[in-house]
Amino acid sequence: MIHEILPVGPLQCNCSIIGDEASHEAMVIDPGDDIEDVLALLSKHNLHVKHIVITHAHIDHVGGAMKLRAATGAPILLNQNDYSLLKMLDMQAAWIGVPPPGKVEIDHSLATGETVTAGSHTATVLHTPGHTEGSICLYFQAEKKLIAGDTLFAGSIGRTDLPGGSTQKILRSLHETVLALPDETVVVPGHGPLTTIGNERESNPFLVKR
Ligand SMILES: [Zn+2]
């Protein structure tokens, strides 16, 4: 599996490019910004984008999606519970001081249990509300990898004080869905360094049972 992780934009959102060496199919997850850099990596590996997957509708994760769709023709996928946040992108842009990205169109709503593929690599969608109502994680079971969006970070969890956030829901998502995965699963958070489920189960102060 080709897996490039590229921190994009002023908030350094971890954009993932996941590609299959044999078929050259790829998916891009959270193209928040810096689409020229994303396109350069895609052409370096000779990859064709099949899906643009958004873990949640915060501007630092979705801001470059329309530009990437225009360049590749790939559909944009997001859970429908975040559609209302998409209507607030101008406000979100003002919060972090970046130009508004314009209207983002979603081609398909991703529901829990659905799969998204890039050649031989398959991700299962896990709906993990809490950071936002429509937050999802992408679980690559065969590759033992989780793209966690802003639900789980190394040593921390997603903030829940923004519109649509819920501390109760994120803790339920983490305990019932995310921590149900095997310890050896590598976690790629929406920001910052990689970790594993086992590490976080053992040492994450928000998850350790007191
Ligand atoms: Zn976020």
Side-chain angles (χ1 to χ4, degrees), residues 56 58 61 131 150:
H56 65 289
H58 280 155
H61 296 256
H131 175 63
D150 286 357

Side-chain angles (χ1 to χ4, degrees), residues 47-120:
L47 293 171
H48 307 288
V49 183
K50 290 285 173 190
H51 308 285
I52 300 167
V53 187
I54 310 298
T55 60
H56 65 289
H58 280 155
I59 189 168
D60 51 324
H61 296 256
V62 72
M66 288 300 273
K67 201 170 167 185
L68 184 61
R69 185 174 80 163
T72 63
I76 302 174
L77 319 181
L78 171 78
N79 180 270
Q80 61 184 359
N81 292 296
D82 264 7
Y83 286 7
S84 57
L85 273 181
L86 269 191
K87 299 193 184 109
M88 302 169 57
L89 280 184
D90 287 4
M91 196 191 297
Q92 293 188 42
W95 288 342
I96 62 168
V98 298
K103 192 175 182 302
V104 176
E105 293 161 15
I106 302 303
D107 297 288
H108 175 70
S109 169
L110 282 177
T112 204
E114 232 177 288
T115 56
V116 184
T117 60
S120 62

Side-chain angles (χ1 to χ4, degrees), residues 29-50:
I29 304 165
D30 287 352
D33 203 347
D34 300 333
I35 298 307
E36 289 80 7
D37 298 340
V38 173
L39 291 170
L41 276 172
L42 287 165
S43 79
K44 175 185 149 195
H45 292 291
N46 191 22
L47 293 171
H48 307 288
V49 183
K50 290 285 173 190

